[in-house]
Amino acid sequence: MSKKHHSELLADLHMHSTASDGGYSPSQLMEKCINNHLSIVSLTDHDTTAGVIEAMKVAKEHHLRFIPGIELSTRIKNTHVDILGYGIDPHNKSLLSTITFHQQMRIERMKTMIEKSNEQGLSVTFNEVAELAKGDTFSRPHLAQTYVKKGYVKDVKEAFDLYLANGKPCYVEKEDEMTPQEAIELVHQAEGIAIVAHPIFYSLDEDIFEWLTVHHLDGIEVYHRDHDDDAIDRFLKLANRAEVARGKKVFITGGSDFHHESFGREGENIGITKLPYEIGEQIYKAVRNKI
């Protein structure tokens, strides 16, 4: 990689591959990162590390700085909260055992959503969904894509709006989810640093402050495609307040949360979130000795 001025360098620390609910294989995703002139990236698939080694290999071949990652599903106060883990050991036994359990829970949830789909007149089989879920982690977008493929809806957004969003007829709650505190501990057991993802989705600022100051959460995803300037300012202030209270650095991170152009959110693309490169470099340096 030729040397560039920091103002020209780009980092994106939140993206998904076909190992969970993304649209590109880990290798293809890294190629997209290279083509989009990124310098530091992390693959953060939902509840799986299955794509990490493949992505790391391609990234290394192209001198792309790569951080092994994961996004763990948790729930607290009837709110779904995602915890990102950076610099994790993808072979850690505790991590693998836990995510295997939760992958099985996702399969059971998918079977129930398929039953509900059939009750709504949407004829879908588990095998049809499995053809689109190329990895081990089954998610609602896989079922939504099946609806699209069979002509029941025009796109993934309509599938969620009509059937799969919370409160819609085919939605099923996840069961036996970890708490954020358990996910934080699991990330640490896997030698990583734990970050709360896209906090704009939750109304839990004071809980996040407690996790940062009491439960050893390491940081906050401040820069995200769904965070406007006011949200960025809000979470920067929260991070600073927690840093003073704990007397220890609070990491801030960010990324596009990329899945795919056609079934991701409107305007979603790799590198679209303007994460200051220096912040990406801080995370990379913090976990480099663990990679």
Side-chain angles (χ1 to χ4, degrees), residues 187-246:
V187 168
H188 290 162
Q189 287 175 0
E191 302 177 24
I193 60 175
I195 308 289
V196 63
H198 38 59
I200 195 67
F201 294 170
Y202 332 123
S203 297
L204 295 172
D205 287 20
E206 291 311 307
D207 294 86
I208 292 170
F209 180 80
E210 180 182 339
W211 304 338
L212 286 163
T213 55
V214 177
H215 298 291
H216 309 293
L217 178 69
D218 298 300
I220 305 174
E221 185 177 47
V222 170
Y223 298 92
H224 184 271
R225 61 156 190 258
D226 292 318
H227 289 189
D228 60 18
D229 289 344
D230 287 341
I232 290 171
D233 183 62
R234 167 184 160 192
F235 297 123
L236 282 174
K237 288 178 178 176
L238 176 59
N240 289 336
R241 181 161 64 96
E243 188 166 286
V244 170
R246 66 191 262 174

Side-chain angles (χ1 to χ4, degrees), residues 81-205:
V81 176
D82 291 330
I83 299 294
L84 293 158
Y86 291 117
I88 47 101
D89 172 7
H91 303 297
N92 179 269
K93 290 182 179 180
S94 294
L95 179 64
L96 292 178
S97 174
T98 301
I99 60 180
T100 296
F101 171 79
H102 287 285
Q103 285 168 356
Q104 186 58 44
M105 292 298 99
R106 280 177 174 268
I107 289 173
E108 296 306 316
R109 179 196 189 208
M110 181 58 67
K111 288 178 179 179
T112 304
M113 286 193 289
I114 289 170
E115 290 175 6
K116 287 178 173 286
S117 299
N118 289 321
E119 291 170 3
Q120 294 294 316
L122 308 173
S123 179
V124 176
T125 68
F126 183 82
N127 287 339
E128 288 172 332
V129 178
E131 287 178 7
L132 293 171
K134 297 179 176 65
D136 298 323
T137 303
F138 283 72
S139 299
R140 284 178 292 167
H142 299 130
L143 182 54
Q145 291 167 54
T146 307
Y147 291 172
V148 174
K149 184 177 180 180
K150 301 195 75 171
Y152 297 134
V153 294
K154 67 177 185 294
D155 55 29
V156 168
K157 182 179 184 302
E158 184 175 63
F160 273 79
D161 289 344
L162 296 180
Y163 301 107
L164 295 174
N166 194 343
K168 297 301 179 179
C170 300
Y171 177 80
V172 175
E173 281 280 2
K174 295 176 186 175
E175 295 184 3
D176 296 314
E177 287 186 287
M178 291 181 282
T179 66
Q181 295 93 325
E182 289 170 336
I184 293 165
E185 183 178 343
L186 183 63
V187 168
H188 290 162
Q189 287 175 0
E191 302 177 24
I193 60 175
I195 308 289
V196 63
H198 38 59
I200 195 67
F201 294 170
Y202 332 123
S203 297
L204 295 172
D205 287 20

